[in-house]
Amino acid sequence: MRFTSEQRLDNGVLEREFTLGEIPGILWTPASAPAPLILLGHPPLGLRKMYPRLVARARHSAAEGFATATIELPGSGDRPRLPAAEQARADLRRAMQAGEPVSDEIVDALVLPLVDKSVPEWQAALDALLSLPEIGGPVGYSGGVISIGVRLAVVEPRIVAAGFFAGSFVPRATFEEARQVTIPLHVLLQWDDEGNDRQAALDLFDAFGSKEKSLNANMGGHTGVPQSAADAAVQFFTRHLK
């Protein structure tokens, strides 16, 4: 891991950009250290586009004493495109514009290669982050493409709690993996999300094998998440990471 820039934000939060090989990322640490770590997942839209939302989540978490970090997903930002994913996105757009159902084949082609490639990168980032003296563990995962979070919850024992954002396209294989998830979960669902298959989100929640899981459902569309939902997510991580 090589740090490439740093700046001090409000309330003593230190923001540092880094590279891990050729993977860009950002680490935010509170003034108090060492701090438990939350990995900030996000959709594959690029860190530059997602930065305002990511830094808002990082500041909110830092106020409660958490460090947060994120990395650029494969095929996003300035990283090389993934031809198969680009083709799947084109197929997805065509189906949606034609008012046709999105097939399982399109969803699998769109999501599963991203999961397969990104999860080992998240694990490598976690190796590097946990070697820093300002990171004390334990570790949580928050947000992002839900299929990535599910895979991480299954294969990465250092992640002890996860907060998922329902609403991504979910491959069939993810429902099978969800049954293997046993860590505490907090799932946020926007009830009127125009891009979300509500029933699929509810079915996935039902599939999770965790004994402790909660569903925070709120009225409103994709961008209408209330502040109370963000507060509830931080309270969840406070219970499980501190």
Side-chain angles (χ1 to χ4, degrees):
M1 174 179 283
R2 182 173 67 89
F3 289 106
T4 57
S5 70
E6 69 174 59
Q7 63 172 328
R8 187 72 64 173
L9 307 180
D10 299 338
N11 300 321
V13 179
L14 180 62
E15 176 185 283
R16 285 175 287 176
E17 296 186 2
F18 64 84
T19 57
L20 186 67
E22 297 183 357
I23 305 169
I26 310 174
L27 170 65
W28 295 272
T29 48
S32 57
L37 175 66
I38 299 174
L39 303 176
L40 298 183
H42 54 89
L45 301 175
L47 286 183
R48 289 192 184 94
K49 184 172 183 178
M50 291 301 303
Y51 176 81
R53 290 164 61 183
L54 288 166
V55 74
R57 291 164 61 191
R59 288 173 188 252
H60 194 192
S61 299
E64 301 300 325
F66 295 108
T68 50
T70 193
I71 57 174
E72 188 76 86
L73 292 176
S76 298
D78 294 328
R79 297 190 65 183
R81 303 295 98 181
L82 301 177
E86 294 294 307
Q87 181 60 53
R89 287 192 188 96
D91 293 340
L92 174 66
R93 285 192 296 270
R94 277 196 294 271
M96 296 183 72
Q97 289 169 0
E100 300 171 352
V102 178
S103 69
D104 289 337
E105 289 72 23
I106 292 176
V107 173
D108 288 353
L110 181 69
V111 179
L112 291 179
L114 179 64
V115 174
D116 291 342
K117 188 168 178 60
S118 64
V119 165
E121 294 180 352
W122 274 111
Q123 292 181 291
L126 189 53
D127 290 340
L129 291 162
L130 289 177
S131 71
L132 301 173
E134 58 268 38
I135 305 298
V139 181
Y141 176 88
S142 175
V145 176
I146 197 168
S147 297
I148 294 175
V150 170
R151 176 74 59 81
L152 278 169
V154 171
V155 304
E156 182 45 73
R158 292 172 293 184
I159 295 176
V160 301
F164 294 146
F165 296 169
S168 309
F169 287 104
V170 182
R172 294 160 295 185
T174 300
F175 285 87
E176 295 303 317
E177 290 185 315
R179 295 181 173 87
Q180 304 173 50
V181 175
T182 58
I183 61 175
L185 297 179
H186 180 85
V187 181
L188 172 64
L189 172 64
Q190 285 301 104
W191 200 250
D192 305 302
D193 189 338
E194 60 281 357
N196 176 43
D197 184 334
R198 183 196 302 163
Q199 191 57 53
L202 295 173
D203 291 344
L204 182 62
F205 180 79
D206 189 52
F208 286 125
S210 303
K211 291 183 178 179
E212 180 183 340
K213 56 182 178 179
S214 59
L215 180 67
N216 187 326
N218 299 277
M219 304 304 292
H222 187 74
T223 60
V225 179
Q227 182 59 46
S228 60
D231 295 339
V234 170
Q235 291 165 9
F236 166 79
F237 284 116
T238 298
R239 289 197 304 273
H240 293 287
L241 301 186
K242 287 190 173 181

